[in-house]
C-alpha cells in the first residue's frame, strides 16, 4: 500500500496561504519524516488548520508548494490519507457501521472489504453493540471514535488529525493514543495538532510550533527541549542576572527567578557566577518542557483572532 | 474519470437513501396523490349526492300584473310534464310500476308528447271541470290525480322536475314585511315581484334574496317568465312560437379536432376521388379532452414545485453539512465539484422517486383495469374513457418534462448550493436565496398568458431566458418547431454548464469560510478568486 519511497511523507516548501489581506500561512517550510508522529502546535489561529487543510488538499496554497507522499498534487494520493477535522460532525440519521463503510467506499474500498474493516474497528474501539444504531444516538466521545474509525477504515498511510483528543475522556484518550502508536509501528505517518503540550511531548517524535503563520520552532522533541531551565531563589533583584553569559531569558517573581539557559552553555559555570553575585537560598536545574517552550515562544505574542477558514 | 463518477454516485446514493427512508418523505410523497384522489372521489360523490338529494328551496311571487304568475306556473308545469313524459317514453315499464305509469307509457307510444302534455295540463289546471269521457280524458284524469299525490315518485323517476329543487309558496297575499321576515329566517330562498307592466318592460321586476351570489333560482324562474312573455308577444304579432323560435335560432360551431387520415384516403384525396368515403375526419372535442389541453400547465406547475423544493433542500443540506464540518471530511476525499454533482444527483433522484410514485399511484386505477374502477366509482367512466389520461401521459410531455427537469433542477440546484456554501446558517441562506426565488416566481405568474398564446412574443422571449426556460418549455412544447427546440435546449444546456462553473468557483472557496458575511460583493470576489 505504501507507495512513497522518500524518507519524508510531507514536504512544505515556502508554502504561503492568504485570505484577502490576512496571511494565514507564511512561507512554511518543513519536512515530516515517514513513520513518525508529528505535532503541529501553536496558539489558536496560528495557521495549524490551514496547514493541515493544504496538506489534505481541501485548500490550495497561494504560493509555494507541498509534496505529499511524493506526489506534487495531493488529490493523486487522497485515498492514502485519512483526515480527522477539528470539529467533528456525523450524518445523524446514518447507522454507525454504514457511516464508516461510506467513507471507506469513498476512498475506493469495495463494499465487502469496507464492511469487514468497519466491523473490526468497531470491535477494536469496543463499539460493536452500537454498530446498527444511528449516529444521533451516540455520545460525543463515541461520535469522535466513530469519526476516527471513518478516518482509519481505508488503512491510510498518512493520517492527519486535527485536535484528535479534544472532548475525549482519559480512557478514550488512551485508546486513540494506542491507535496512533500502532499506526506508526506499521510505518504510517501521523500528523496531529494539539493544545495539550504534555500529549505532544509524550506522543510526538517531532513538532513544529506555528505562530502567526510562521514556523517558530521545528524539529525532534529532544532537540527542541535541549537546554536547561534553572530556577533560583535568592536575596537580590533581577539585575543580578544582567550580562550573564549563556542566559537566554530571565523572569523573576518575588525572590524566585527562572532562567532559560542556552543549550550550548555549561550550567555549572553559570551557577558558579550566580553564587558570586548573590546569596542563593535554593536552586534547581531541569530540561525545558514543551509547555515552557510554548509559553516562552508564544506567551508574549498576541493571539490572533480571525474570521477566515483557519481555526 | 470512472473513479470520479463512482464517487459522485456514492454521494448521490447516500443522499437518496437517507432522504427516501424517512417517514416525512413518504408522507409528503403520498400526500399529493392521496389528497388529489380523495378530492376527486369526494367531488364525484358530492355531485351524485347533490343530484339525488337536493334540498328544496322555497320562493314566493308577488304578482302586480294581470295573472302572469299563474301563466308562469303553468309553463313550469308544462315543462315538468314534458320532462316526465320523455322519461316515461324512453323507459321500459316494470312489473312493479303503477298501472297509470304503464298506461301513460303506452300512450306515449301512440300519441305525441305535446298532445298528452296539453291534455294533462288541462286536467291539472281544472281538476273539477267535467271533461267529455273519452278514453284519453279518462287517462288524463287518472294521471292528474296520480301526479298531484306522488311527488316523491315523480322525482325518483325524473330528478330534473322543478319541484325537486324549488317550491312556490302559494299562500295568498303575503306582505313584503312578512316575506323579509321569512328571508331572514331562511325559510325562503327569495321572492319575485312581477310589476304591472312586466310584458312591456321588466324594468321594475325584482328578485329579493339574502344570498345574492346564489342566482340559480332567479335564472330558472327568469327562463319561464321570458318564455311566457315571448309567447304573449308572439301571439300579439300573430307568429307561432315554433316560427319565432326558428327565426331566433342561433348559429353555432361545435369545437372539433381533425383525425389523422389514413394513407388510402390521402391517396384518394390527391386523386380527387371519393376522398373520405364516409370516414370521419373530425371528432368533436369533449369537455374532458379540453381539460386535457391543460396538461402542460400541470406539468409546468409540478416542475416548478419540484425544482424549488429540491433546490431549497439542497441549499439547506449544504449549509447543514458545512456547519457540522462534515463537508471538511468529504472534501478531503473528493473534489468540491464531485461533491456538488453527487448531492445534486441525489436530490434529483429523490425528486424523480416522488414523481415516479405519483405516476404509479395515479396510473394504479388504470392498471387495475378501468372496469374495476367504474364498478367502484361509476362517475369515473366518463373520465377514463375521455382520453384525458392520454393527454396527461403524452410521451412528448413526459420526455420534455424529464429533459427540462434535469436542466432546470441543475440550474437552480447549482445556484442555491453555491449560495448555501457561503452561508453560516439556514436563515442567512434563505435571505441570500430571496432574489432567486423572486425571479423564479415570474414564470409561474405568466403561466396562463403563455398557455393562451404559446407561439406569441411573450412565450418566445421567455423561452430564451435561462431561469424561465424550463418552465416555459413545458408549456409551449407542443407548439414549438424542432429547430427552435434544439436551439433552446442547447442554449439552456450551455447556460447550465456556465452556472455549474460559477457555482464551483463559489462553492470551492465558500464552503470553507467561517463567519464570513455573505453578500453579493463577497460572491463576486469569490468567483474572481481574490479571497
Amino acid at each position: 500500500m505504501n507507495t512513497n519511497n522518500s524518507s519524508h511523507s510531507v514536504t512544505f516548501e515556502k508554502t504561503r496561504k492568504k485570505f484577502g489581506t490576512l496571511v494565514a500561512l507564511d512561507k512554511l517550510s518543513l519536512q515530516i519524516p515517514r513513520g513518525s508522529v508529528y505535532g503541529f502546535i501553536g496558539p489558536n489561529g496560528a495557521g495549524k488548520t490551514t496547514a493541515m487543510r493544504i496538506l489534505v488538499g481541501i485548500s490550495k496554497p497561494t504560493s509555494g508548494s507541498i509534496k505529499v507522499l511524493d506526489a506534487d498534487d495531493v488529490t493523486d494520493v487522497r485515498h492514502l490519507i485519512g483526515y480527522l477535522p477539528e470539529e467533528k460532525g456525523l450524518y445523524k440519521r446514518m447507522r454507525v457501521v454504514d457511516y464508516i463503510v461510506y467513507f471507506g467506499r469513498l476512498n475506493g474500498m469495495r463494499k465487502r472489504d469496507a464492511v469487514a474493516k468497519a466491523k473490526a474497528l468497531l470491535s477494536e474501539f469496543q463499539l460493536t453493540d452500537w454498530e446498527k444504531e444511528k449516529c444521533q444516538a451516540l455520545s460525543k466521545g463515541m461520535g469522535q471514535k466513530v469519526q476516527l474509525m471513518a478516518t482509519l477504515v481505508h488503512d491510510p498511510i498518512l493520517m492527519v488529525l486535527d485536535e484528535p483528543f479534544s472532548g475525549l475522556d482519559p480512557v478514550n484518550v488512551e485508546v486513540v493514543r494506542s491507535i496512533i502508536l500502532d499506526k506508526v509501528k506499521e510505518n504510517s505517518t501521523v500528523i496531529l495538532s494539539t493544545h495539550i503540550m504534555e500529549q505532544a511531548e509524550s506522543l510526538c517524535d517531532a513538532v513544529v510550533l506555528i505562530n502567526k503563520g510562521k514556523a517558530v520552532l521545528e524539529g525532534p522533541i529532544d532537540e527542541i527541549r535541549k537546554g536547561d531551565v534553572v530556577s533560583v531563589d535568592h536575596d537580590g533583584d533581577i539585575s543580578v542576572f544582567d550580562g550573564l553569559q549563556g542566559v537566554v531569558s530571565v523572569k523573576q517573581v518575588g525572590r524566585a527567578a527562572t532562567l532559560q539557559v542556552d543549550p550550548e552553555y555549561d550550567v555549572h559555570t553559570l551557577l558558579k557566577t550566580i553564587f558570586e553575585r548573590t546569596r542563593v537560598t535554593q536552586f534547581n536545574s531541569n530540561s525545558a518542557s514543551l509547555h515552557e517552550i510554548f509559553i516562552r515562544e508564544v506567551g508574549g505574542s498576541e493571539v490572533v483572532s480571525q474570521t477566515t477558514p483557519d481555526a | 474519470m470512472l473513479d470520479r463518477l463512482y464517487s459522485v454516485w456514492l454521494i448521490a446514493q447516500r443522499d437518496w437513501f437517507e432522504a427516501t427512508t424517512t417517514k416525512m418523505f413518504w408522507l409528503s410523497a403520498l400526500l399529493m396523490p392521496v389528497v388529489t384522489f380523495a378530492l376527486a372521489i369526494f367531488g364525484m360523490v358530492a355531485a351524485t349526492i347533490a343530484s339525488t338529494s337536493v334540498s328544496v328551496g322555497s320562493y314566493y311571487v308577488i304578482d302586480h300584473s294581470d295573472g302572469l304568475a299563474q301563466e308562469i306556473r303553468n309553463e313550469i308545469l308544462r315543462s315538468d310534464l314534458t320532462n316526465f313524459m320523455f322519461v316515461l317514453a324512453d323507459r321500459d315499464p316494470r312489473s312493479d310500476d303503477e298501472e297509470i305509469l304503464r298506461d301513460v307509457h303506452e300512450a306515449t307510444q301512440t300519441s305525441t308528447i305535446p298532445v298528452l302534455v296539453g291534455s294533462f295540463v288541462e286536467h291539472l289546471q281544472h281538476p273539477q271541470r267535467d271533461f267529455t269521457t273519452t278514453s284519453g280524458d279518462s287517462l288524463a284524469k287518472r294521471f292528474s290525480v296520480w301526479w298531484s299525490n306522488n311527488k316523491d315518485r315523480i322525482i325518483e323517476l325524473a330528478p330534473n322536475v322543478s319541484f325537486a329543487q324549488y317550491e312556490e309558496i302559494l299562500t295568498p297575499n303575503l306582505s313584503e314585511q312578512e316575506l323579509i321576515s321569512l328571508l331572514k329566517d331562511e325559510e325562503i330562498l327569495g321572492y319575485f315581484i312581477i310589476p304591472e307592466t312586466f310584458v312591456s318592460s321588466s324594468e321594475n321586476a325584482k328578485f329579493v334574496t339574502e344570498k345574492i351570489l346564489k342566482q340559480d333560482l332567479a335564472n330558472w324562474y327568469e327562463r319561464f317568465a321570458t318564455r311566457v312573455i315571448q309567447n304573449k308577444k308572439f301571439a300579439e304579432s300573430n307568429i307561432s312560437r315554433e316560427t319565432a323560435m326558428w327565426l331566433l335560432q342561433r348559429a353555432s360551431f361545435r369545437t372539433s379536432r381533425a383525425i389523422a387520415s389514413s394513407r388510402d384516403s390521402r391517396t384518394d384525396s390527391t386523386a380527387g376521388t371519393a376522398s373520405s368515403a364516409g370516414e370521419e375526419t373530425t371528432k368533436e372535442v369533449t369537455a374532458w379532452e379540453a381539460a386535457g389541453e391543460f396538461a402542460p400547465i400541470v406539468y409546468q406547475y409540478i416542475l416548478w414545485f419540484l425544482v424549488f423544493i429540491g433546490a431549497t433542500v439542497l441549499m439547506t443540506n449544504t449549509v447543514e453539512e458545512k456547519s457540522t464540518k462534515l463537508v471538511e471530511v468529504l472534501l478531503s476525499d473528493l473534489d468540491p465539484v464531485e461533491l456538488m454533482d453527487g448531492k445534486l444527483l441525489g436530490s434529483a433522484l429523490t425528486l424523480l422517486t416522488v414523481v415516479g410514485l405519483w405516476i404509479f399511484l395515479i396510473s394504479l386505477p388504470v392498471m387495475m383495469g378501468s372496469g374495476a374502477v367504474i364498478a367502484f366509482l361509476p362517475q369515473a367512466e366518463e373520465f377514463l374513457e375521455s382520453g384525458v389520461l392520454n393527454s396527461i401521459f403524452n410521451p412528448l410531455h413526459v420526455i420534455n418534462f424529464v429533459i427540462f427537469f434535469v436542466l432546470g433542477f441543475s440550474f437552480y440546484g447549482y445556484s442555491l448550493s453555491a449560495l448555501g456554501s457561503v452561508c453560516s446558517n439556514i436563515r442567512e441562506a434563505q435571505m441570500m436565496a430571496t432574489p432567486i426565488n423572486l425571479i423564479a416566481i415570474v414564470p409561474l405568474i405568466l403561466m396562463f398568458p403563455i398557455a393562451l398564446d404559446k407561439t406569441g412574443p411573450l412565450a418566445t422571449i421567455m423561452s430564451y431566458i435561462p431561469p424561465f426556460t424550463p418552465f416555459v418549455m413545458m408549456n409551449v412544447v407542443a407548439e414549438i418547431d424542432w429547430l427552435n427546440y434544439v436551439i433552446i435546449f442547447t442554449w439552456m444546456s450551455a447556460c447550465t454548464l456556465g452556472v455549474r462553473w460559477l457555482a464551483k468557483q463559489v462553492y470551492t472557496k465558500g464552503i470553507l469560510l467561517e463567519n464570513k458575511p455573505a453578500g453579493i460583493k463577497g460572491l463576486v470576489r469569490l468567483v474572481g478568486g481574490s479571497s
Side-chain angles (χ1 to χ4, degrees):
Chain A
M1 195 161 178
N2 193 343
T3 58
N4 63 330
N5 301 314
S6 156
S7 60
H8 297 108
S9 287
V10 179
T11 305
F12 284 91
E13 184 66 40
K14 293 181 181 172
T15 310
R16 197 160 191 263
K17 181 70 182 179
K18 278 181 75 182
F19 295 102
T21 54
L22 182 80
V23 180
L25 211 56
D26 193 5
K27 294 183 179 173
L28 180 70
S29 292
L30 57 93
Q31 292 182 318
I32 298 173
R34 194 153 67 93
S36 67
V37 183
Y38 195 92
F40 280 24
I41 57 175
N44 292 333
K48 304 185 298 290
T49 300
T50 300
M52 286 186 156
R53 281 177 174 170
I54 290 173
L55 204 160
V56 295
I58 294 176
S59 196
K60 302 271 181 234
T62 311
S63 63
S65 65
I66 181 169
K67 191 177 268 194
V68 180
L69 301 174
D70 284 344
D72 292 325
D73 185 353
V74 186
T75 56
D76 294 340
V77 288
R78 262 180 180 156
H79 61 289
L80 300 174
I81 303 173
Y83 175 54
L84 181 73
E86 182 181 0
E87 289 177 66
K88 296 153 189 78
L90 295 164
Y91 284 117
K92 289 181 182 173
R93 289 201 297 272
M94 228 171 163
R95 293 191 313 166
V96 168
V97 68
D98 293 339
Y99 180 85
I100 301 166
V101 168
Y102 176 60
F103 280 97
R105 293 182 74 194
L106 278 179
N107 280 290
M109 291 180 88
R110 287 189 306 171
K111 189 175 181 183
R112 196 190 315 156
D113 298 339
V115 170
K117 187 67 197 292
K119 289 190 173 183
L121 282 168
L122 282 163
S123 169
E124 196 176 340
F125 279 81
Q126 297 178 329
L127 280 178
T128 304
D129 291 346
W130 294 81
E131 175 183 323
K132 291 185 177 163
E133 294 296 328
K134 290 195 172 171
C135 289
Q136 62 194 5
L138 300 174
S139 68
K140 190 182 175 190
M142 285 175 180
Q144 277 187 239
K145 280 159 84 174
V146 171
Q147 273 271 7
L148 187 62
M149 284 183 249
T151 309
L152 293 169
V153 66
H154 60 291
D155 277 329
I157 57 170
L158 172 62
M159 288 172 64
V160 182
L161 314 175
D162 201 353
E163 299 286 352
F165 305 108
S166 70
L168 289 180
D169 59 47
V171 175
N172 282 318
V173 166
E174 280 312 305
V175 172
V176 175
R177 274 173 63 94
S178 66
I179 294 279
I180 291 171
L181 294 172
D182 286 348
K183 290 301 287 183
V184 172
K185 276 183 200 158
E186 293 166 11
N187 209 25
S188 294
T189 307
V190 178
I191 299 170
L192 58 88
S193 72
T194 180
H195 283 105
I196 307 165
M197 293 303 117
E198 289 76 17
Q199 265 167 358
E201 204 164 347
S202 64
L203 195 58
C204 296
D205 300 308
V207 294
V208 60
L209 174 56
I210 302 174
N211 191 26
K212 294 182 179 176
K214 289 183 177 172
V216 180
L217 273 177
E218 195 269 327
I221 289 278
D222 294 343
E223 290 288 319
I224 286 178
R225 289 184 60 194
K226 213 170 170 184
D228 292 314
V229 173
V230 176
S231 304
V232 181
D233 286 4
H234 66 112
D235 289 343
D237 60 20
I238 196 165
S239 62
V240 167
F241 306 107
D242 286 351
L244 273 181
Q245 276 195 326
V247 175
V248 177
S249 65
V250 182
K251 281 182 187 171
Q252 182 159 338
V253 179
R255 291 171 60 189
T258 307
L259 284 72
Q260 179 70 43
V261 184
D262 187 325
E264 305 299 323
Y265 198 79
D266 180 30
V267 176
H268 293 97
T269 311
L270 177 69
L271 282 173
K272 196 176 168 187
T273 312
I274 294 170
F275 274 105
E276 287 167 0
R277 291 190 180 185
T278 183
R279 196 176 78 87
V280 175
T281 56
Q282 190 177 337
F283 75 88
N284 192 18
S285 172
N286 281 314
S287 291
S289 70
L290 205 54
H291 179 83
E292 286 162 332
I293 295 167
F294 184 93
I295 298 292
R296 185 185 76 213
E297 296 294 335
V298 179
S301 71
E302 186 188 343
V303 175
V304 180
S305 171
Q306 59 188 44
T307 56
T308 57
D310 196 0
Chain B
M1 183 65 184
L2 278 177
D3 285 351
R4 283 172 172 252
L5 287 178
Y6 181 67
S7 299
V8 168
W9 172 243
L10 279 177
I11 296 280
Q13 198 184 27
R14 195 211 73 83
D15 280 18
W16 174 82
F17 186 77
E18 186 169 279
T20 55
T21 49
T22 60
K23 285 177 194 161
M24 192 53 75
F25 170 83
W26 288 98
L27 191 69
S28 45
L30 297 177
L31 203 61
M32 203 278 241
V34 167
V35 168
T36 308
F37 263 128
L39 284 175
I41 291 172
F42 176 77
M44 288 178 189
V45 172
T48 308
I49 292 169
S51 66
T52 53
S53 62
V54 176
S55 59
V56 179
S58 301
Y59 65 95
Y60 190 79
V61 181
I62 300 173
D63 187 10
H64 296 302
S65 72
D66 187 17
L68 270 176
Q70 184 54 47
E71 290 185 51
I72 294 169
R73 244 168 253 139
N74 292 345
E75 195 60 37
I76 293 168
L77 176 62
R78 191 177 296 276
S79 166
D80 285 343
L81 281 168
T82 305
N83 190 356
F84 187 72
M85 290 299 135
F86 272 111
V87 170
L88 279 192
D90 290 343
R91 176 180 176 276
D92 290 329
R94 292 172 194 167
S95 56
D96 57 342
D97 275 352
E98 297 88 327
E99 189 184 349
I100 184 69
L101 292 181
R102 287 201 294 273
D103 292 345
V104 173
H105 171 76
E106 201 174 305
T108 59
Q109 309 304 308
T110 55
S111 183
T112 63
I113 286 176
V115 169
L116 283 173
V117 168
S119 164
F120 294 161
V121 167
E122 279 294 306
H123 279 82
L124 281 161
Q125 284 172 349
H126 310 288
Q128 306 305 324
R129 190 187 294 177
D130 188 17
F131 291 93
T132 53
T133 51
T134 63
S135 61
D137 287 333
S138 167
L139 177 66
K141 192 170 183 179
R142 281 167 49 222
F143 180 76
S144 64
V145 172
W146 182 86
W147 177 270
S148 304
N149 296 311
N150 290 279
K151 297 290 182 195
D152 290 343
R153 177 72 170 136
I154 295 165
I155 292 169
E156 184 191 334
L157 291 168
N160 291 334
V161 291
S162 68
F163 47 85
Q165 279 187 285
Y166 309 117
E167 185 178 49
E168 185 180 350
I169 296 172
L170 295 171
T171 312
N173 304 323
L174 284 178
S175 69
E176 277 206 74
Q177 292 302 324
E178 287 170 307
L179 289 169
I180 287 167
S181 168
L182 288 173
L183 266 180
K184 297 283 181 197
D185 295 342
E186 297 192 352
E187 295 285 325
I188 59 171
L189 288 176
Y191 64 91
F192 297 89
I193 301 174
I194 298 176
E196 193 178 349
T197 57
F198 192 44
V199 176
S200 56
S201 164
S202 60
E203 200 176 328
N204 296 320
K206 279 185 192 169
F207 172 60
V208 183
T209 182
E210 287 286 292
K211 297 175 179 175
I212 55 173
L213 294 178
K214 193 167 166 58
Q215 286 293 309
D216 55 326
L217 170 61
N219 292 337
W220 170 79
Y221 194 78
E222 209 171 70
R223 191 153 48 88
F224 290 103
T226 304
R227 200 181 293 173
V228 167
I229 291 168
Q230 280 178 344
N231 284 344
K232 281 187 172 296
K233 289 179 178 174
F234 296 153
E236 279 176 22
S237 309
N238 284 327
I239 303 172
S240 71
R241 179 171 177 82
E242 288 69 29
T243 308
M245 295 317 292
W246 179 76
L247 288 170
L248 292 172
Q249 198 173 40
R250 291 180 61 189
S252 76
F253 296 90
R254 283 179 297 179
T255 306
S256 305
R257 68 165 81 237
I259 301 169
S261 29
S262 67
R263 183 187 289 185
D264 289 345
S265 66
R266 279 205 302 274
T267 310
D268 288 346
S269 178
T270 314
T273 56
S275 56
S276 48
E279 192 179 321
E280 284 190 23
T281 54
T282 62
K283 183 175 174 290
E284 196 172 334
V285 176
T286 65
W288 279 113
E289 282 175 320
E293 291 295 303
F294 287 99
I297 288 186
V298 175
Y299 272 103
Q300 185 186 341
Y301 186 77
I302 292 173
L303 181 73
W304 189 92
F305 177 78
L306 289 177
V307 163
F308 277 92
I309 292 286
T312 306
V313 168
L314 205 55
M315 180 180 79
T316 310
N317 285 348
T318 306
V319 177
E320 267 179 20
E321 287 189 356
K322 180 183 173 177
S323 59
T324 59
K325 303 294 171 186
L326 257 167
V327 76
E328 210 171 311
V329 187
L330 291 167
L331 288 179
S332 68
D333 298 326
L334 301 159
D335 280 341
V337 77
E338 285 170 13
L339 183 58
M340 234 182 6
D341 286 345
K343 301 203 84 58
L344 193 93
L345 180 62
S347 295
L349 289 175
T350 305
L351 294 172
L352 287 174
T353 306
V354 173
V355 175
L357 271 171
W358 288 353
I359 290 173
F360 172 75
L361 288 170
I362 291 170
S363 329
L364 199 59
V366 182
M367 287 191 283
M368 279 164 56
S370 54
V373 178
I374 293 163
F376 173 68
L377 196 68
Q379 296 87 341
E381 183 175 5
E382 196 185 345
F383 170 75
L384 289 170
E385 290 176 2
S386 67
V388 71
L389 283 174
N390 293 338
S391 299
I392 293 171
F393 296 114
N394 181 335
L396 178 71
H397 292 319
V398 175
I399 293 168
N400 192 52
F401 178 86
V402 172
I403 289 173
F404 282 98
F405 168 75
V406 170
L407 290 173
F409 183 61
S410 301
F411 188 91
Y412 282 100
Y414 283 127
S415 306
L416 291 186
S417 291
L419 279 185
S421 75
V422 298
C423 298
S424 310
N425 55 59
I426 306 283
R427 196 173 170 184
E428 199 176 280
Q430 284 167 341
M431 290 287 285
M432 288 279 284
T434 304
I436 292 182
N437 292 338
L438 287 175
I439 289 170
I441 289 172
V442 174
L444 211 58
I445 295 169
L446 296 176
M447 191 157 63
F448 283 98
I450 288 173
L452 294 175
D453 188 8
K454 294 179 180 179
T455 52
L458 181 67
T460 307
I461 292 167
M462 294 277 285
S463 64
Y464 279 92
I465 301 173
F468 309 145
T469 302
F471 312 110
V472 177
M473 286 301 282
M474 278 319 305
N475 210 336
V476 304
V477 65
E479 308 272 332
I480 203 163
D481 63 82
W482 279 104
L483 179 64
N484 237 332
Y485 189 94
V486 170
I487 292 170
I488 291 170
F489 169 77
T490 311
W491 166 239
M492 184 66 202
S493 303
C495 289
T496 304
L497 287 174
V499 165
R500 182 176 177 267
W501 181 84
L502 281 172
K504 182 191 164 190
Q505 306 307 310
V506 174
Y507 191 94
T508 306
K509 293 158 188 169
I511 200 74
L512 296 172
L513 290 176
E514 281 178 21
N515 306 323
K516 191 159 189 170
I520 301 297
K521 280 183 184 174
L523 285 180
V524 172
R525 275 204 302 274
L526 280 177
V527 175
S530 63
S531 287

